[in-house]
Amino acid sequence: MPGEWSGLQALFLNECPYAYYVHCFAHRLQLALIAASRDVISVYQFFSKLTFIVNIITSSAKRHDQLQAAHLAEIERLLELEELETGKGKNQIGTVKRARDTRWGSHFGSLNSLLNMYNASCSVLQTVIKEGKSAQRGEADKAYDDMTSFEFVLVLHIMIQILRITNDLCQALQRKSQDILNAMHLVSNTKILIQKLRDDGWENLLQQVLLFFNNHDIEVPNMEDHYIYGRGRRFRQPKDPDFTKQEKLNLKSQLDLFLLEIKEHPQLDSLKSIYDLCRWLAETEKGEIYYLIDRLVRLILTLPVSTATAERAFSAMKLIKTALRNRMEDDYLTDSLIVYVEKGIAKEFDIDSIIDEFASKKDRRSLLKISKTNK
């Protein structure tokens, strides 16, 4: 794009010599992260192994079908054990994604897809090791060893946490209409969170990695000895939370960023309620950056109303549809419930107004019938 002789920038400058070229902020951030990661040998080796594993798992339509079948079987098993929640949009059958150097979000998406389909991916590799051709079996065996190694799982969790912190910044930088002030605050807060992860995040990270090994029945190495590459077998996955797994991970990073944002705005001390916070997010357009927090605040505001209305409706249903009136049709039951639940509004209606309303409807029907007869 910015080629000096034949790129798009040169073509623009031929037509408009005073045009000013600005690099895409999100693209520059992506390239900076990729370049920085390649300077760390363990991270560079991790992404090389990740590409190798994904290519083997998705190299053919047959293996892709095996991956989805294994993931479906895993979901069904966990549902039978009641370790997964059911609901609209949950437990979708997906696939592992490739990471692209020039496409922002692809690395984060690739790591999350592999983490979510870890058991299914191991199952496909085990099938290739047993049933594949000689060359395929060797490659699958190498991929399986890499995937179940402590170093791979450790770097996997490290990179997911780092890319999760930078994900909100990148999404903000990709907006067509940029708010430079909010973007700069987001940059500084992202740097603080990365430094905080570096200084204080090791213990929590190690606990997550050890829990992952225990959940998948993989032998945990002795930290005092030299680690020897080993194998493990798939076991089970953690439960899905109320939010989707990806949204809850992003929500955690947004909350960390928002806490830093609060310290920079003393006027937030004057907010007295969640309603004021929701209004402040809308007025400052912070709700577009912290969209998950904005959604959470709105859900909290509507939850008491929706819960109370539902409770009143169920209580009214027991009073209206009794054992003596158990053949009541749905339309009549609905009308009766509305009148009972909204009795505060219904009390404002008097009998005369109701009679007049029915009388006006009867007149309109009569006039309509007369007009049809005249025609």
Side-chain angles (χ1 to χ4, degrees):
M1 300 287 285
E4 182 177 357
W5 302 107
S6 59
L8 184 61
Q9 180 184 8
L11 297 177
F12 270 102
L13 292 176
N14 290 336
E15 299 293 330
C16 183
Y18 299 103
Y20 185 72
Y21 183 85
V22 180
H23 286 276
C24 172
F25 292 135
H27 186 64
R28 294 176 66 182
L29 178 60
Q30 164 73 357
L31 295 180
L33 289 173
I34 297 302
S37 66
R38 287 176 176 171
D39 287 339
V40 182
I41 296 177
S42 58
V43 177
Y44 177 81
Q45 292 177 346
F46 167 80
F47 279 109
S48 299
K49 294 176 181 178
L50 175 65
T51 302
F52 179 66
I53 292 171
V54 173
N55 288 339
I56 291 178
I57 295 175
T58 61
S59 61
S60 65
K62 180 180 179 180
R63 294 183 188 177
H64 183 268
D65 293 339
Q66 291 175 349
L67 177 67
Q68 292 190 331
H71 193 202
L72 177 61
E74 180 70 12
I75 291 176
E76 292 176 349
R77 186 181 69 84
L78 294 176
L79 289 175
E80 291 178 357
L81 297 175
E82 297 182 355
E83 295 190 7
L84 285 181
E85 296 178 357
T86 58
K88 184 177 180 180
K90 294 184 178 181
N91 307 322
Q92 298 293 316
I93 305 299
T95 185
V96 289
K97 302 177 181 178
R98 289 183 173 86
R100 309 288 186 182
D101 287 354
T102 58
R103 183 181 300 174
W104 178 262
S106 64
H107 285 72
F108 189 41
S110 178
L111 297 183
N112 279 297
S113 65
L114 182 64
L115 189 65
N116 294 334
M117 303 188 69
Y118 187 87
N119 290 348
S121 300
C122 289
S123 176
V124 172
L125 292 176
Q126 288 174 333
T127 301
V128 177
I129 292 173
K130 296 178 181 178
E131 304 175 1
K133 299 180 180 179
S134 56
Q136 295 175 348
R137 292 169 59 190
E139 292 177 348
D141 185 81
K142 176 63 169 60
Y144 187 80
D145 280 339
D146 292 338
M147 190 171 176
T148 56
S149 67
F150 180 80
E151 289 83 358
F152 185 89
V153 175
L154 177 63
V155 178
L156 173 65
H157 284 78
I158 292 175
M159 294 308 303
I160 285 178
Q161 289 203 20
I162 294 176
L163 294 178
R164 183 185 304 143
I165 293 174
T166 59
N167 183 62
D168 291 312
L169 172 60
C170 176
Q171 299 301 325
L173 294 180
Q174 291 184 91
R175 299 183 185 277
K176 294 182 179 180
S177 178
Q178 283 292 333
D179 186 343
I180 301 300
L181 182 60
N182 284 333
M184 293 306 298
H185 280 299
L186 200 58
V187 170
S188 60
N189 291 338
T190 302
K191 292 170 62 178
I192 293 174
L193 289 180
I194 292 178
Q195 186 63 41
K196 183 179 179 181
L197 175 64
R198 181 178 183 179
D199 296 337
D200 305 322
W202 170 250
E203 294 296 332
N204 291 334
L205 176 65
L206 183 60
Q207 291 299 323
Q208 291 180 14
V209 174
L210 295 179
L211 179 62
F212 183 88
F213 270 71
N214 291 332
N215 288 338
H216 294 80
D217 200 29
I218 301 175
E219 183 180 358
V220 179
N222 187 350
M223 299 301 173
E224 302 298 329
D225 296 334
H226 294 289
Y227 178 64
I228 301 175
Y229 284 87
R231 289 184 175 179
R233 60 182 179 84
R234 59 192 183 94
F235 185 60
R236 65 179 186 272
Q237 292 177 336
K239 293 183 178 180
D240 285 340
D242 293 336
F243 276 20
T244 62
K245 185 177 296 185
Q246 190 61 46
E247 285 180 341
K248 188 165 185 178
L249 294 176
N250 293 342
L251 177 61
K252 183 179 183 302
S253 62
Q254 284 193 13
L255 287 172
D256 293 336
L257 288 170
F258 189 66
L259 289 176
L260 295 175
E261 188 86 17
I262 291 177
K263 297 178 181 179
E264 300 175 2
H265 292 81
Q267 66 271 26
L268 290 177
D269 295 337
S270 61
L271 301 181
K272 299 180 180 179
S273 63
I274 298 179
Y275 170 77
D276 295 335
L277 175 60
C278 184
R279 185 174 181 178
W280 180 83
L281 288 172
E283 291 177 349
T284 59
E285 298 183 355
K286 297 288 187 180
E288 296 184 3
I289 296 178
Y290 304 107
Y291 59 95
L292 290 176
I293 296 178
D294 183 70
R295 187 197 307 174
L296 180 62
V297 171
R298 294 175 186 271
L299 288 174
I300 293 174
L301 288 173
T302 58
L303 183 60
V305 178
S306 59
T307 303
T309 303
E311 291 294 337
R312 288 199 302 268
F314 281 111
S315 299
M317 186 182 299
K318 296 180 181 179
L319 297 175
I320 295 174
K321 194 170 184 178
T322 62
L324 299 177
R325 294 195 293 264
N326 58 0
R327 295 186 179 181
M328 184 182 299
E329 295 182 357
D330 292 341
D331 292 339
Y332 184 68
L333 176 61
T334 301
D335 295 339
S336 302
L337 285 174
I338 292 175
V339 175
Y340 185 88
V341 174
E342 304 296 343
K343 52 187 175 183
I345 300 176
K347 288 180 180 180
E348 299 178 1
F349 302 138
D350 55 2
I351 297 178
D352 294 336
S353 64
I354 297 175
I355 293 175
D356 294 339
E357 179 68 20
F358 275 99
S360 63
K361 290 183 178 180
K362 185 175 181 181
D363 292 340
R364 286 196 295 269
R365 292 174 182 173
S366 299
L367 292 174
L368 180 60
K369 185 175 181 181
I370 293 173
S371 61
K372 289 182 177 179
T373 304
N374 293 334
K375 290 181 179 180

